[in-house]
Amino acid sequence: MPVESTAWRTTRWDALAAYATTGKVRERLGNRNPQIVPASDFTACDGRRVSIHAGTDALFGRLAAVMGRPELAADPAYATRAARAEHADALYSVITDWVAGYSADEVTKLLSDTGIPASPLMSIADIAADAHYRERGTLVTVDDPDFGPLSMVAPLPKMSKTPGSIRSTGPALGEHNTDVYTGVLGLGPDELASLRADGVI
């Protein structure tokens, strides 16, 4: 395997290492990973985005085969991680065109069936409707006096012996005032009446 050049390594490291070795501040890169290529998201024909991660040589070989372009894996411009990083724009153009020929679900299945990490990018509507989140207990439904059944994110992480739970969506303003005044503060009826008369409560 070719030795990666120092220039490539120092410009593609994480932001802190790159700054420490070169003095350069890495700016925004969008969804791309500068040192692992391909690792980004792409638009399918149905307008949804799909995240694809095939940054290792083995994964890229599988991706090239799935795309019907096996020769890309042997092309010197894409055969190694360093080479793919140097020619990322050209490679992303090829992948973009391929993904655009399928729906997000089709692309995800094609890649997942081959062992390539891929997933549609989910909107909050997708997440709310996804049965997987419900089965894992990540989303729960809580009854709210104003809105009725309300979806909420469950307490995380989920502990096996002491799992968290959501008992309510929160009290209304002043709902527990009497409990606090009489129970916590120990105020009697006359004291409460006096405070109300004076506009304190």
Side-chain angles (χ1 to χ4, degrees), residues 154-178:
L156 298 172
K158 199 169 185 179
M159 305 294 184
S160 57
K161 293 185 178 179
T162 57
S165 64
I166 301 175
R167 294 179 290 277
S168 76
T169 55
L173 182 63
E175 181 177 336
H176 297 128
N177 281 1
T178 299

Side-chain angles (χ1 to χ4, degrees), residues 129-195:
D130 192 283
H132 184 74
Y133 284 96
R134 299 284 176 180
E135 287 296 321
R136 290 182 58 84
T138 305
L139 298 182
V140 295
T141 300
V142 182
D143 286 326
D144 181 86
D146 296 319
F147 297 99
L150 189 66
S151 291
M152 301 184 74
V153 177
L156 298 172
K158 199 169 185 179
M159 305 294 184
S160 57
K161 293 185 178 179
T162 57
S165 64
I166 301 175
R167 294 179 290 277
S168 76
T169 55
L173 182 63
E175 181 177 336
H176 297 128
N177 281 1
T178 299
D179 294 337
V180 173
Y181 297 149
T182 61
V184 178
L185 300 180
L187 300 178
D190 292 341
E191 292 173 294
L192 287 176
S194 176
L195 290 173

Side-chain angles (χ1 to χ4, degrees), residues 49-133:
R49 301 280 286 175
V50 179
S51 178
I52 300 173
H53 193 301
T56 68
D57 295 346
L59 285 174
F60 180 67
R62 292 182 207 166
L63 176 61
V66 170
M67 293 193 301
R69 299 286 305 276
E71 74 280 0
L72 293 176
D75 188 323
Y78 310 123
T80 66
R81 189 177 75 163
R84 289 191 297 277
E86 294 294 342
H87 301 92
D89 288 342
L91 180 56
Y92 278 126
S93 179
V94 172
I95 299 170
T96 295
D97 290 345
W98 177 75
V99 172
Y102 299 89
S103 71
D105 289 339
E106 290 170 338
V107 168
T108 300
K109 187 174 189 319
L110 280 170
L111 298 177
S112 297
D113 287 350
T114 317
I116 299 169
S119 174
L121 302 187
M122 302 178 75
S123 70
I124 194 62
D126 296 326
I127 292 171
D130 192 283
H132 184 74
Y133 284 96

